[in-house]
Amino acid sequence: MTAPNIETIVSLSKRRGFVFPASDIYGGLGSSWDYGSLGVELANNIKQSWWRWLVHERDDIEGLDSSIIQNRNVWKYSGHETTFSDPLVDCRECKSRFRADKLEYPKISDDAETQKAFENTPIEQLIKDKKFPCPNCGAKNFTEPKQFNLMFSTTVGATSAEDDPSALAYLRPETAQGIFINFKNVLDTSRRKLPFGIAQIGKAFRNEVTPGNFIFRTREFEQMELEYFCRPEDAPAIHQEFIDSFQEWFASLGITPENIKLYEQSKEELSHYSDRTVDILYRFFPERENEDAQFDELMGLANRTNYDLKTHSKKPEDAEGKRLNPDSTEDLSYFDPTTNERFYPYCIEPSAGVNRTILAVLMDAYTEKTNDKGEKRVILKLKHNLAPIKVAVLPLAKNKPEIVAMAKDLKKQLLPTMRTVYDDTGGIGKLYARQDEIGTPFCVTVDHESLEDNAVTVRDRDTWEQERIKIADLKDYLQKRLEQ
Ligand code: ATP
């Protein structure tokens, strides 16, 4: 079972402390979210899983943490200053705002010829000629399409004027460029040979025109990006290997393969740097009737060719011998000592969103179960390595000091090896329900008998089965079960 819709996760998140609306006490800030005590642990566990799998377990990938604010030239030469924009139109009547490239032709006539002529005219032209109806109010009175750059700008330096172009800087809209501009630093210091990769996790910012759907599309988000450099002829096969292995990684996070789909971008959709891009989609909208519309992007995997390393290099020239990048002081080419060739490596980029992964993991782990009394209970069947809390130690009687002391002592014993909490804020039924709902794999209950037999009850989140375990064996027992 998975969550029936995103709304179910929004309310669970707020109720239990995974995610809260940001700036809530001031009325909020459109599509901004804060991660609470459980949300931050879940996010960290997802990031750790990605980092371990790529940076620690493979021996061909280096880690990096580059600055959010870089020299403006990074975004000039990457192409973001000129191309990272959406065409915006506003309806003058109802004030609704749309992305012109996402508008769809409505039916305007029963006459096939008239309809065909309408659909053969570019939407931007129809808007200019006041012939395109607003999808919200039907008025044909749009503002002219305006290119809206998605990068957040700022000024650097305390004394800089707001409109001083030399002080202009941007918050990065992707972490990738920080990797490309450090290519030579990493290459020189790590003495890597192709193929090798550089991985980075960090915040990115996009002034999205239409943010929404909870943490699916926000203006501030986090990316996990790998740039994997290789010889041009090896790029297609390496690209395919990553497409396959990332699907396995999502499965290892507990995501059901039926909720994952691949999407091959058409030539028209490809970004200016890409030779081939495949998106991994997740069923974020299971409530939608149309099966295709249920899926949306979880991550993208692009073959970025040698575009980025070349564009940030000082050497490439145009037909007249003029340097294409007169601002760069480095050449980001690679010398292959075995073939004596110098060239710009190709780059395969698997780029995943932390926030969309959190949402997919929560939706997929969401389960409902009915107890003996016929009451509905929510269980978050998170993979053990992702669960924010691994073990909750619960005293059966909080007014009995020996039981409380024993429970607190157990928590202390377990804590160094597994995230353990002590909770006595309710009756045992309530405490179990709360731990089930936040995905804690095991509850350990200390009762009156524990004082006699030095054993405790361990309850399994998914089966609700209970087992009596000797305290002397508890740590080993839980550790083994958590590894399953
Ligand atoms: P979309 O088509 O949904 O706008 P994109 O193709 O622009 O996404 P990329 O530039 O490929 O996204 O970024 C890589 C990943 O970063 C995405 O697959 C997604 O997981 C995440 N991401 C991108 N934009 C956002 C956003 N506004 N909010 C949350 N995550 C995002």
Side-chain angles (χ1 to χ4, degrees):
M1 175 178 181
T2 53
N5 49 43
I6 291 181
E7 279 313 306
T8 309
I9 300 301
V10 176
S11 81
L12 169 71
S13 295
K14 196 169 175 194
R15 194 167 66 244
R16 291 303 187 188
F18 281 94
V19 184
F20 308 116
S23 306
D24 208 19
I25 63 165
Y26 290 108
L29 173 70
S31 297
S32 291
W33 301 89
D34 294 338
Y35 290 75
S37 55
L38 301 172
V40 65
E41 296 289 345
L42 177 57
N44 284 342
N45 291 343
I46 287 172
K47 288 186 271 185
Q48 207 177 61
S49 160
W50 186 90
W51 192 265
R52 262 209 201 129
W53 170 49
L54 292 171
V55 182
H56 293 183
E57 288 173 18
R58 292 176 65 124
D59 49 18
D60 57 353
I61 294 174
E62 301 283 341
L64 181 80
D65 186 12
S66 68
S67 288
I68 285 175
I69 297 177
Q70 301 275 0
N71 188 306
R72 179 184 166 187
N73 280 325
V74 171
W75 309 107
K76 174 176 169 184
Y77 290 103
S78 68
H80 283 80
E81 269 198 343
T82 44
T83 64
F84 200 60
S85 51
D86 289 337
L88 263 194
V89 288
D90 289 311
C91 172
R92 288 198 178 92
E93 305 297 325
C94 71
K95 312 291 176 213
S96 299
R97 172 163 283 186
F98 300 94
R99 271 177 63 174
D101 59 329
K102 295 273 178 192
L103 286 170
E104 284 175 17
Y105 290 96
K107 184 159 189 273
I108 55 145
S109 169
D110 287 334
D111 177 50
E113 284 294 303
T114 315
Q115 183 70 25
K116 201 167 155 209
F118 179 71
E119 290 180 16
N120 282 340
T121 315
I123 288 181
E124 299 209 358
Q125 189 58 48
L126 291 167
I127 286 173
K128 262 188 201 159
D129 299 343
K130 294 200 183 304
K131 286 185 179 156
F132 195 87
C134 168
N136 186 43
C137 72
K140 295 173 184 167
N141 193 9
F142 277 115
T143 55
E144 295 249 323
K146 195 170 66 189
Q147 283 302 325
F148 175 74
N149 195 290
L150 298 183
M151 284 196 291
F152 278 100
S153 54
T154 184
T155 48
V156 173
T159 55
S160 58
E162 241 169 57
D163 54 355
D164 176 1
S166 66
L168 177 64
Y170 302 104
L171 304 189
R172 66 180 176 202
E174 62 175 26
T175 66
Q177 296 302 321
I179 296 181
F180 297 124
I181 58 172
N182 275 293
F183 173 74
K184 200 168 175 328
N185 288 335
V186 176
L187 185 66
D188 290 349
T189 51
S190 66
R191 304 176 169 268
R192 288 282 179 190
K193 301 259 176 300
L194 290 184
F196 76 96
I198 306 175
Q200 167 158 243
I201 299 177
K203 290 253 171 149
F205 303 82
R206 295 180 189 177
N207 204 357
E208 296 278 1
V209 177
T210 47
N213 289 317
F214 190 38
I215 55 175
F216 177 81
R217 188 181 302 283
T218 49
R219 296 192 172 100
E220 174 180 341
F221 56 98
E222 215 167 357
Q223 291 185 311
M224 302 178 277
E225 295 201 298
L226 167 66
E227 306 302 325
Y228 194 84
F229 302 98
C230 60
R231 295 186 62 88
E233 63 274 23
D234 296 336
I238 292 174
H239 191 191
Q240 192 55 49
E241 274 168 34
F242 278 118
I243 294 167
D244 298 340
S245 64
F246 265 89
Q247 289 174 81
E248 285 163 27
W249 182 66
F250 285 120
S252 81
L253 299 186
I255 293 178
T256 325
E258 289 76 50
N259 289 334
I260 290 279
K261 210 159 95 168
L262 294 185
Y263 175 75
E264 177 95 35
Q265 288 192 9
S266 66
K267 288 273 172 255
E268 295 72 42
E269 289 170 294
L270 290 177
S271 301
H272 58 281
Y273 51 72
S274 177
D275 189 45
R276 179 185 177 214
T277 297
V278 173
D279 293 333
I280 296 184
L281 314 183
Y282 177 75
R283 201 191 298 268
F284 286 108
F285 308 98
E287 74 282 11
R288 291 183 181 165
E289 236 169 72
N290 178 330
E291 165 113 24
D292 277 348
Q294 294 175 357
F295 289 83
D296 211 332
E297 182 175 329
L298 177 57
M299 75 172 293
L301 295 108
N303 176 353
R304 291 184 80 125
T305 68
N306 59 8
Y307 176 85
D308 301 274
L309 291 183
K310 222 167 146 180
T311 194
H312 288 303
S313 288
K314 65 177 181 179
K315 282 196 177 156
E317 295 175 342
D318 64 14
E320 276 104 52
K322 223 172 90 198
R323 280 171 63 193
L324 291 170
N325 185 339
D327 294 306
S328 170
T329 58
E330 274 299 349
D331 186 57
L332 305 179
S333 60
Y334 173 84
F335 181 72
D336 189 334
T338 51
T339 59
N340 275 339
E341 282 170 285
R342 182 168 280 286
F343 61 95
Y344 295 100
Y346 264 41
C347 180
I348 301 301
E349 175 192 75
S351 170
V354 173
N355 318 76
R356 289 189 193 178
T357 306
I358 293 174
L359 183 55
V361 161
L362 285 173
M363 289 187 77
D364 232 280
Y366 184 92
T367 314
E368 289 173 3
K369 187 166 163 173
T370 309
N371 67 11
D372 302 343
K373 295 179 199 148
E375 297 158 338
K376 190 189 88 181
R377 291 277 180 254
V378 171
I379 308 179
L380 212 47
K381 292 193 173 177
L382 292 171
K383 282 274 174 190
H384 293 168
N385 63 326
L386 298 187
I389 297 167
K390 312 297 182 206
V391 179
V393 184
L394 318 170
L396 200 66
K398 70 171 176 183
N399 50 4
K400 185 107 181 163
E402 299 94 313
I403 291 183
V404 169
M406 190 181 234
K408 286 190 172 164
D409 187 52
L410 271 183
K411 181 217 155 169
K412 255 196 213 143
Q413 283 180 35
L414 298 174
L415 198 56
T417 27
M418 56 200 87
R419 173 96 203 282
T420 309
V421 297
Y422 166 87
D423 192 1
D424 65 5
T425 55
I428 197 72
K430 268 226 170 89
L431 295 181
Y432 282 153
R434 176 186 148 79
Q435 295 301 332
D436 284 347
E437 208 172 357
I438 64 175
T440 306
F442 299 105
C443 287
V444 169
T445 309
V446 181
D447 53 28
H448 294 88
E449 251 184 277
S450 306
L451 302 173
E452 310 291 324
D453 66 358
N454 270 320
V456 287
T457 302
V458 176
R459 174 183 177 275
D460 182 297
R461 172 195 71 193
D462 299 341
T463 60
W464 291 352
E465 272 166 19
Q466 304 198 357
E467 231 181 305
R468 197 77 184 160
I469 304 289
K470 285 273 172 217
I471 288 178
D473 304 329
L474 184 65
K475 196 165 91 183
D476 282 353
Y477 170 86
L478 288 170
Q479 227 167 344
K480 267 198 205 108
R481 296 278 318 264
L482 282 167
E483 277 163 20
Q484 286 165 4

